[in-house]
Amino acid sequence: MTRINEPRELFTRFNGNPIICASDFPHTVNAVFNPGATEFEGGTLLLLRVEDRTGLSSLVVATSENGLTDWNIDQTRGLTPDADLVEEQWGVEDPRITRIGDEYYVVYVGYSAFGPLVSLTKTRDFVNWERCGVLQPPEDKDAALFPTTFDDRWALIHRPVPNMPGLGTHMWLSYSPDLTYWGEAQVLIAAQRGSHWDANKIGLGPPPLLTKDGWLICYHAVRTTASGSIYRVGLAMLDRDDPSTVIARSNEWIFGPREPYEQTGDVPGVVFPCGWILRDDGDTVHIYYGAADTVVCVAETSLATLLDHLEQHPCKPESAGGPLMGTIGPP
Ligand code: BMA
């Protein structure tokens, strides 16, 4: 039977969704969501955000051979908030994993007593961690590293929040020679205005993915409605050699909350991907996302389809992103 209003989406949800939920843990857990994802030791590794019933989140490892089923939650691996660090006082959230050489660089939100900020840690085994400190002060979230340097500078996409209401919340790009000192901050993709699906508040999803056309970006946008917020995702493409150049941005959202597990939970109406994996065939993409801030899900798509969609659904040039697009400013 055809569902009323069934959107033609680019992603196929796994029919075993949700793949991980609170009842999979031996102790009391409030919610498990917004996982980072990477291939590790021949399988798929998720770094789950596990929110306990105190309200604080930790990061916990789950692995699966096929990336879809038989998840093994390993609570001995992961990142526990360090109570001695002010930047992690209220937990660690929403990891994005970038593999660089043999190391996994995890950019995550540290919930500090002074607001959410962007922190970096790295690991080889997801057991032993080397914290690299705060990359961006509060309030800042939705950040990930590129896996390569550009003219000997690392690049970070992040999402600072202006402290004046009405200015919108946009994606920024910053560079660093050493992963410690960050500068050259610039607006990368600005939220649109008015009735656009990605008006007012946007942020990066999974880390950038290198494709034949450039760096593919998946970002979320928050639409405020009379009955709450809707978190959906869309696509953009950055230049391969100069990631500050936005080559393309889709004018439509491509994945949004639809299923009951996305519509019911702590925050209804949320799909929030923090990780995606391009499989060995060079085309299959698995995207891992939190649904309704409550459970972990996966959906599958084809890279060729995503690239084709970007070509077929371009934003008007003046809305494509970048600091000169003219959408920043009082509404
Ligand atoms: C964002 C982040 C995410 C969360 C989303 C929906 O601001 O805090 O962790 O999933 O809101 O509540």
Side-chain angles (χ1 to χ4, degrees):
M1 192 176 83
T2 312
R3 289 167 55 115
I4 295 168
N5 236 354
E6 175 100 31
R8 284 176 298 153
E9 291 187 9
L10 302 185
F11 291 88
T12 306
R13 289 167 175 82
F14 177 50
N15 59 16
N17 276 347
I19 53 174
I20 303 175
C21 53
S23 58
D24 295 327
F25 287 75
H27 62 285
T28 51
V29 160
N30 177 58
V32 48
F33 54 117
N34 300 3
T38 186
E39 286 184 318
F40 183 71
E41 294 181 343
T44 297
L45 181 147
L46 300 184
L47 200 49
L48 312 166
R49 171 177 170 188
V50 179
E51 186 187 292
D52 66 25
R53 292 193 186 176
T54 70
L56 267 62
S57 293
S58 309
L59 307 181
V60 173
V61 165
T63 53
S64 156
E65 272 178 34
N66 62 13
L68 297 172
T69 57
D70 301 313
W71 292 94
N72 174 39
I73 296 171
D74 181 354
Q75 298 205 72
T76 64
R77 293 197 288 173
L79 189 74
T80 305
D82 183 336
D84 293 332
L85 293 177
V86 68
E87 63 261 32
E88 297 182 7
Q89 192 167 336
W90 292 334
V92 292
E93 305 178 352
D94 300 358
R96 274 83 168 183
I97 305 172
T98 299
R99 183 176 178 170
I100 302 173
D102 290 338
E103 292 181 297
Y104 299 84
Y105 287 68
V106 178
V107 176
Y108 60 101
V109 175
Y111 199 160
S112 86
F114 302 97
L117 46 73
V118 175
S119 277
L120 172 66
T121 182
K122 58 181 179 172
T123 184
R124 288 176 190 275
D125 53 13
F126 294 89
V127 178
N128 301 292
W129 299 87
E130 185 184 331
R131 281 180 168 81
C132 311
V134 174
L135 307 189
Q136 302 292 336
E139 181 177 344
D140 209 323
K141 284 183 172 187
D142 301 328
L145 283 173
F146 288 76
T148 55
T149 54
F150 303 91
D151 294 331
D152 295 326
R153 297 120 75 226
W154 297 100
L156 179 82
I157 297 177
H158 55 115
R159 207 285 305 277
V161 178
N163 62 3
M164 288 177 70
L167 294 184
T169 308
H170 314 280
M171 290 163 63
W172 286 65
L173 180 70
S174 292
Y175 292 100
S176 170
D178 55 9
L179 292 171
T180 299
Y181 295 97
W182 292 88
E184 298 177 70
Q186 54 202 272
V187 175
L188 176 66
I189 300 176
Q192 301 208 64
R193 289 289 179 196
S195 61
H196 282 281
W197 76 272
D198 53 353
N200 303 323
K201 187 176 178 185
I202 62 173
L204 183 70
L209 180 66
L210 189 58
T211 72
K212 66 178 178 52
D213 295 342
W215 295 99
L216 184 63
I217 298 295
C218 171
Y219 66 97
H220 65 259
V222 188
R223 185 177 179 107
T224 307
T225 75
S227 59
S229 300
I230 307 174
Y231 278 70
R232 302 186 183 111
V233 302
L235 299 173
M237 184 68 73
L238 311 180
D239 184 84
R240 166 191 279 265
D241 301 316
D242 173 10
S244 68
T245 300
V246 181
I247 300 173
R249 177 177 181 177
S250 64
N251 63 356
E252 296 185 348
W253 58 268
I254 56 159
F255 189 58
R258 189 187 75 192
E259 295 301 314
Y261 50 80
E262 295 158 352
Q263 302 282 14
T264 313
D266 277 3
V267 186
V270 176
V271 295
F272 199 92
C274 291
W276 55 5
I277 296 176
L278 177 62
R279 297 300 180 186
D280 288 346
D281 63 8
D283 190 50
T284 304
V285 175
H286 286 133
I287 191 160
Y288 294 90
Y289 64 101
D293 282 10
T294 300
V295 292
V296 170
C297 297
V298 59
E300 185 176 306
T301 188
S302 133
L303 180 59
T305 306
L306 295 182
L307 300 183
D308 186 54
H309 179 88
L310 255 180
E311 251 179 50
Q312 301 302 322
H313 298 80
C315 246
K316 287 188 222 137
E318 67 271 22
S319 308
L324 300 178
M325 63 179 284
T327 56
I328 303 176

